[in-house]
PDB file of all heavy atoms in Angstrom:
ATOM      1  N   SER A 174     144.767 151.964 126.317  1.00  0.00           N
ATOM      2  CA  SER A 174     144.978 151.572 127.663  1.00  0.00           C
ATOM      3  C   SER A 174     146.482 151.095 127.838  1.00  0.00           C
ATOM      4  O   SER A 174     146.951 151.057 128.998  1.00  0.00           O
ATOM      5  CB  SER A 174     144.049 150.536 128.201  1.00  0.00           C
ATOM      6  OG  SER A 174     144.177 149.286 127.506  1.00  0.00           O
ATOM      7  N   PHE A 175     147.131 150.790 126.831  1.00  0.00           N
ATOM      8  CA  PHE A 175     148.495 150.411 126.857  1.00  0.00           C
ATOM      9  C   PHE A 175     149.400 151.500 127.548  1.00  0.00           C
ATOM     10  O   PHE A 175     150.358 151.295 128.225  1.00  0.00           O
ATOM     11  CB  PHE A 175     149.034 150.186 125.431  1.00  0.00           C
ATOM     12  CG  PHE A 175     150.575 150.153 125.291  1.00  0.00           C
ATOM     13  CD1 PHE A 175     151.218 148.931 125.475  1.00  0.00           C
ATOM     14  CD2 PHE A 175     151.331 151.217 124.971  1.00  0.00           C
ATOM     15  CE1 PHE A 175     152.568 148.869 125.376  1.00  0.00           C
ATOM     16  CE2 PHE A 175     152.660 151.187 124.874  1.00  0.00           C
ATOM     17  CZ  PHE A 175     153.354 149.977 125.107  1.00  0.00           C
ATOM     18  N   TRP A 176     148.942 152.777 127.328  1.00  0.00           N
ATOM     19  CA  TRP A 176     149.654 153.854 127.814  1.00  0.00           C
ATOM     20  C   TRP A 176     149.347 154.298 129.272  1.00  0.00           C
ATOM     21  O   TRP A 176     149.999 155.164 129.821  1.00  0.00           O
ATOM     22  CB  TRP A 176     149.394 155.141 126.929  1.00  0.00           C
ATOM     23  CG  TRP A 176     149.867 154.876 125.505  1.00  0.00           C
ATOM     24  CD1 TRP A 176     149.121 154.571 124.450  1.00  0.00           C
ATOM     25  CD2 TRP A 176     151.247 154.996 125.063  1.00  0.00           C
ATOM     26  NE1 TRP A 176     149.885 154.368 123.409  1.00  0.00           N
ATOM     27  CE2 TRP A 176     151.167 154.597 123.697  1.00  0.00           C
ATOM     28  CE3 TRP A 176     152.524 155.250 125.631  1.00  0.00           C
ATOM     29  CZ2 TRP A 176     152.400 154.629 122.886  1.00  0.00           C
ATOM     30  CZ3 TRP A 176     153.594 155.244 124.898  1.00  0.00           C
ATOM     31  CH2 TRP A 176     153.576 154.961 123.528  1.00  0.00           C
ATOM     32  N   ASP A 177     148.437 153.607 129.857  1.00  0.00           N
ATOM     33  CA  ASP A 177     148.051 153.948 131.281  1.00  0.00           C
ATOM     34  C   ASP A 177     149.280 153.862 132.240  1.00  0.00           C
ATOM     35  O   ASP A 177     149.316 154.591 133.222  1.00  0.00           O
ATOM     36  CB  ASP A 177     146.888 153.009 131.803  1.00  0.00           C
ATOM     37  CG  ASP A 177     145.601 153.405 131.155  1.00  0.00           C
ATOM     38  OD1 ASP A 177     145.448 154.596 130.702  1.00  0.00           O
ATOM     39  OD2 ASP A 177     144.651 152.569 131.114  1.00  0.00           O
ATOM     40  N   LYS A 178     150.127 152.901 131.973  1.00  0.00           N
ATOM     41  CA  LYS A 178     151.286 152.670 132.892  1.00  0.00           C
ATOM     42  C   LYS A 178     152.378 153.753 132.758  1.00  0.00           C
ATOM     43  O   LYS A 178     153.342 153.810 133.491  1.00  0.00           O
ATOM     44  CB  LYS A 178     151.812 151.232 132.723  1.00  0.00           C
ATOM     45  CG  LYS A 178     152.251 150.891 131.269  1.00  0.00           C
ATOM     46  CD  LYS A 178     152.719 149.546 131.324  1.00  0.00           C
ATOM     47  CE  LYS A 178     153.094 149.003 129.841  1.00  0.00           C
ATOM     48  NZ  LYS A 178     151.921 148.789 129.075  1.00  0.00           N
ATOM     49  N   PHE A 179     152.190 154.512 131.620  1.00  0.00           N
ATOM     50  CA  PHE A 179     153.342 155.542 131.428  1.00  0.00           C
ATOM     51  C   PHE A 179     152.820 156.975 131.712  1.00  0.00           C
ATOM     52  O   PHE A 179     153.599 157.843 132.043  1.00  0.00           O
ATOM     53  CB  PHE A 179     153.760 155.430 129.940  1.00  0.00           C
ATOM     54  CG  PHE A 179     154.276 154.132 129.513  1.00  0.00           C
ATOM     55  CD1 PHE A 179     153.581 153.296 128.621  1.00  0.00           C
ATOM     56  CD2 PHE A 179     155.460 153.710 130.082  1.00  0.00           C
ATOM     57  CE1 PHE A 179     154.081 152.129 128.310  1.00  0.00           C
ATOM     58  CE2 PHE A 179     155.919 152.422 129.642  1.00  0.00           C
ATOM     59  CZ  PHE A 179     155.269 151.657 128.834  1.00  0.00           C
ATOM     60  N   GLY A 180     151.473 157.237 131.479  1.00  0.00           N
ATOM     61  CA  GLY A 180     151.009 158.575 131.679  1.00  0.00           C
ATOM     62  C   GLY A 180     149.495 158.651 131.680  1.00  0.00           C
ATOM     63  O   GLY A 180     148.808 157.584 132.064  1.00  0.00           O
ATOM     64  N   ASP A 181     148.868 159.695 131.232  1.00  0.00           N
ATOM     65  CA  ASP A 181     147.434 159.959 131.328  1.00  0.00           C
ATOM     66  C   ASP A 181     146.893 159.930 129.944  1.00  0.00           C
ATOM     67  O   ASP A 181     147.399 160.536 129.013  1.00  0.00           O
ATOM     68  CB  ASP A 181     147.130 161.230 132.016  1.00  0.00           C
ATOM     69  CG  ASP A 181     147.691 161.321 133.425  1.00  0.00           C
ATOM     70  OD1 ASP A 181     147.628 160.320 134.115  1.00  0.00           O
ATOM     71  OD2 ASP A 181     148.127 162.400 133.816  1.00  0.00           O
ATOM     72  N   VAL A 182     145.735 159.115 129.822  1.00  0.00           N
ATOM     73  CA  VAL A 182     145.038 159.075 128.518  1.00  0.00           C
ATOM     74  C   VAL A 182     143.749 159.870 128.521  1.00  0.00           C
ATOM     75  O   VAL A 182     142.961 159.710 129.426  1.00  0.00           O
ATOM     76  CB  VAL A 182     144.750 157.614 128.139  1.00  0.00           C
ATOM     77  CG1 VAL A 182     144.044 157.581 126.805  1.00  0.00           C
ATOM     78  CG2 VAL A 182     145.993 156.729 128.130  1.00  0.00           C
ATOM     79  N   TYR A 183     143.571 160.762 127.537  1.00  0.00           N
ATOM     80  CA  TYR A 183     142.430 161.656 127.542  1.00  0.00           C
ATOM     81  C   TYR A 183     141.612 161.440 126.233  1.00  0.00           C
ATOM     82  O   TYR A 183     142.160 161.159 125.188  1.00  0.00           O
ATOM     83  CB  TYR A 183     142.932 163.143 127.472  1.00  0.00           C
ATOM     84  CG  TYR A 183     143.594 163.647 128.668  1.00  0.00           C
ATOM     85  CD1 TYR A 183     145.020 163.486 128.895  1.00  0.00           C
ATOM     86  CD2 TYR A 183     142.875 164.229 129.756  1.00  0.00           C
ATOM     87  CE1 TYR A 183     145.663 163.867 129.971  1.00  0.00           C
ATOM     88  CE2 TYR A 183     143.535 164.610 130.909  1.00  0.00           C
ATOM     89  CZ  TYR A 183     144.955 164.491 131.043  1.00  0.00           C
ATOM     90  OH  TYR A 183     145.597 164.892 132.198  1.00  0.00           O
ATOM     91  N   ARG A 184     140.347 161.603 126.412  1.00  0.00           N
ATOM     92  CA  ARG A 184     139.470 161.718 125.153  1.00  0.00           C
ATOM     93  C   ARG A 184     139.186 163.253 125.065  1.00  0.00           C
ATOM     94  O   ARG A 184     138.547 163.826 125.928  1.00  0.00           O
ATOM     95  CB  ARG A 184     138.234 160.935 125.321  1.00  0.00           C
ATOM     96  CG  ARG A 184     137.414 160.950 123.973  1.00  0.00           C
ATOM     97  CD  ARG A 184     136.014 160.325 124.092  1.00  0.00           C
ATOM     98  NE  ARG A 184     135.416 160.391 122.834  1.00  0.00           N
ATOM     99  CZ  ARG A 184     134.005 160.294 122.668  1.00  0.00           C
ATOM    100  NH1 ARG A 184     133.256 159.931 123.680  1.00  0.00           N
ATOM    101  NH2 ARG A 184     133.549 160.500 121.469  1.00  0.00           N
ATOM    102  N   MET A 185     139.723 163.787 123.953  1.00  0.00           N
ATOM    103  CA  MET A 185     139.595 165.172 123.774  1.00  0.00           C
ATOM    104  C   MET A 185     138.204 165.613 123.238  1.00  0.00           C
ATOM    105  O   MET A 185     137.891 166.788 123.158  1.00  0.00           O
ATOM    106  CB  MET A 185     140.684 165.722 122.919  1.00  0.00           C
ATOM    107  CG  MET A 185     142.100 165.418 123.375  1.00  0.00           C
ATOM    108  SD  MET A 185     142.442 166.005 125.035  1.00  0.00           S
ATOM    109  CE  MET A 185     142.519 167.701 124.627  1.00  0.00           C
ATOM    110  N   GLY A 186     137.461 164.633 122.822  1.00  0.00           N
ATOM    111  CA  GLY A 186     136.211 164.915 122.217  1.00  0.00           C
ATOM    112  C   GLY A 186     136.074 164.254 120.833  1.00  0.00           C
ATOM    113  O   GLY A 186     137.001 164.166 120.157  1.00  0.00           O
TER     114      GLY A 186
END
Side-chain angles (χ1 to χ4, degrees):
S174 65
F175 167 86
W176 297 101
D177 286 338
K178 57 182 174 287
F179 303 110
D181 300 322
V182 181
Y183 294 88
R184 185 185 179 198
M185 303 301 289

